[in-house]
Amino acid sequence: MTEGSVSVPPEQYERLAALAAARGVTPEAQLARLIDDAYEGLDGDAEPPESLPLGVSAPDDGE
């Protein structure tokens, strides 16, 4: 993945910082992880629920 910048609104940054603190990482590292997780989801292969990040669930077959 290439380097770039991302703008995060203040109210979203507070949530990102809280999530990062709960996981013991910096907000920047947490944001990078979220972006990487989103890109991995684009391949169309469903991940087993136990491999998904905390708070993310696999879609039901009906969706």
Side-chain angles (χ1 to χ4, degrees):
M1 191 160 121
T2 60
E3 294 292 320
S5 65
V6 176
S7 176
V8 179
E11 61 276 0
Q12 294 297 325
Y13 186 83
E14 290 174 14
R15 294 175 64 193
L16 176 66
L19 180 61
R23 294 187 174 179
V25 298
T26 65
E28 293 80 11
Q30 182 61 42
L31 182 59
R33 181 176 178 186
L34 292 170
I35 291 170
D36 289 344
D37 289 347
Y39 275 110
E40 286 177 12
L42 292 177
D43 65 7
D45 295 335
E47 296 277 335
E50 60 275 1
S51 70
L52 295 172
L54 181 65
V56 177
S57 61
D60 294 334
D61 291 334
E63 289 187 32

